[in-house]
């Protein structure tokens, strides 16, 4: 069985409907466990006080803001190369979710940064690249809404996604690219295997991150199914109008 069989909307919807209930339950359990444990089961930091607990929302949302765009990049490339409509609709479905994650990351970053840095905002490399990434999300969603032909919209938004991927990359590695700015290094650097988070906070942070990943997957599957059904309904309506 090939993965490309799920480019068929009927098979994709059948798989999605089977998987979604499990994802919703696991996402809810992970997010609630991670946040409750993080906010109520960990001590205050000796330097940052209770402010440090913003990490349990800020880090997972920032991670998903970037990875949502990476997922959109992959599905956009699949559309450009193989012309599978499900992949284009999956990218479209992921964009609002990724934008919300970016907004959450920006807001929680400001709430965390104000007591630490003495300002709500600084033109730090990572903060600036995250703001630009948010604007790319807005542009991507607006471009889909502005174009009536779905294939043209998929083509142009895929190209925009390729360009915006530069800023997704900068958002991920800005601290390493520039040895300046207020933002600290990555809390859980997977590539190096090290981390800057104390063991007390690490486990609930991982659970919260897993919950955000599962929540993202559940939302994208749900929204992709909605996009498929909407397109199918529009096609049936157009066919009925032609037959009148």
């Amino acid at each position: 069985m090939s993965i490309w069989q799920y480019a068929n909307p009927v098979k994709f919807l059948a798989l999605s409907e089977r998987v979604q209930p499990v994802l919703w339950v696991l996402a809810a359990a992970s997010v609630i466990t991670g946040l409750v444990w993080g906010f109520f089961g960990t001590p205050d930091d000796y330097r940052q006080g209770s402010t440090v607990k913003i990490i349990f929302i800020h880090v997972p949302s920032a991670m998903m803001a970037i990875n949502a765009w990476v997922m959109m990049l992959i599905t956009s490339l699949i559309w450009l190369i193989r012309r599978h409509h499900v992949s284009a609709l999956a990218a479209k479905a992921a964009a609002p979710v990724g934008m919300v994650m970016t907004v959450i990351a920006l807001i929680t970053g400001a709430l965390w940064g104000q007591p630490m840095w003495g300002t709500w905002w600084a033109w730090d490399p990572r903060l600036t690249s995250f703001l630009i990434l948010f604007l790319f999300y807005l542009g991507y969603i607006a471009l889909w809404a502005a174009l009536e032909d779905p294939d043209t919209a998929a083509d142009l938004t895929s190209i925009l996604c390729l360009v915006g991927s530069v800023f997704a990359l900068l958002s991920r590695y800005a601290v390493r690219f520039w040895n300046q700015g207020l933002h600290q290094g990555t809390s859980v650097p997977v590539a190096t295997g090290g981390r800057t988070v104390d063991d007390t906070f690490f486990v609930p942070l991982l659970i919260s991150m897993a919950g955000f990943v599962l929540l993202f997957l559940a939302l994208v599957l749900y929204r992709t199914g909605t996009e498929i059904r909407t397109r199918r309904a529009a096609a049936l309506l157009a066919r009925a109008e032609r037959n009148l």
Side-chain angles (χ1 to χ4, degrees):
M1 301 290 285
S2 171
I3 191 174
W4 299 114
Q5 66 178 311
Y6 297 110
N8 182 306
V10 175
K11 291 187 176 181
F12 178 86
L13 288 174
L15 176 65
S16 177
E17 290 172 357
R18 290 198 304 269
V19 171
Q20 276 191 65
V22 178
L23 286 177
W24 285 115
V25 171
L26 291 177
S30 300
V31 170
I32 292 171
T33 300
L35 294 183
V36 171
W37 185 351
F39 280 101
F40 302 105
T42 60
D44 292 348
D45 182 71
Y46 75 100
R47 292 179 61 188
Q48 302 183 45
S50 59
T51 307
V52 72
K53 298 183 180 184
I54 296 175
I55 192 174
F56 300 108
I57 297 178
H58 178 71
V59 170
S61 61
M63 175 189 71
M64 291 316 305
I66 298 168
N67 289 332
W69 195 275
V70 173
M71 175 261 177
M72 291 163 56
L73 170 63
I74 294 171
T75 51
S76 295
L77 286 172
I78 293 172
W79 162 254
L80 291 173
I81 296 170
R82 302 192 64 129
R83 311 303 286 182
H84 291 323
H85 286 88
V86 171
S87 63
L89 294 178
K92 180 183 180 183
V97 183
M99 186 183 70
V100 170
M101 292 293 181
T102 307
V103 171
I104 293 173
L106 288 170
I107 292 174
T108 54
L111 292 173
W112 196 356
Q114 203 283 329
M116 295 300 102
W117 304 337
T119 180
W120 296 99
W121 179 264
W123 294 103
D124 176 274
R126 179 171 289 191
L127 272 64
T128 304
S129 59
F130 242 84
L131 178 61
I132 296 173
L133 180 61
F134 167 72
L135 296 176
F136 267 99
Y137 270 119
L138 280 180
Y140 182 94
I141 295 170
L143 190 56
W144 263 109
L147 298 172
E148 294 185 2
D149 182 70
D151 286 355
T152 302
D155 287 337
L156 294 180
T157 52
S158 294
I159 294 171
L160 178 62
C161 191
L162 293 176
V163 177
S165 298
V166 175
F167 291 96
L169 181 67
L170 289 177
S171 298
R172 176 65 179 82
Y173 294 105
V175 173
R176 297 184 185 180
F177 289 161
W178 293 283
N179 292 320
Q180 61 181 354
L182 297 174
H183 200 287
Q184 68 177 49
T186 304
S187 299
V188 189
V190 177
T192 60
R195 65 176 187 266
T196 60
V197 179
D198 186 84
D199 291 342
T200 306
F201 302 95
F202 187 61
V203 175
L205 176 59
L206 283 183
I207 295 174
S208 183
M209 291 168 68
F212 271 66
V213 172
L214 292 167
L215 179 61
F216 171 77
L217 292 175
L219 287 169
V220 169
L221 286 177
Y222 175 79
R223 287 182 50 80
T224 303
T226 301
E227 292 290 344
I228 292 172
R229 294 183 180 93
T230 300
R231 179 171 291 196
R232 182 182 296 173
L236 291 174
L237 181 60
R239 184 184 303 173
E241 290 178 348
R242 287 195 300 268
N243 293 333
L244 289 179

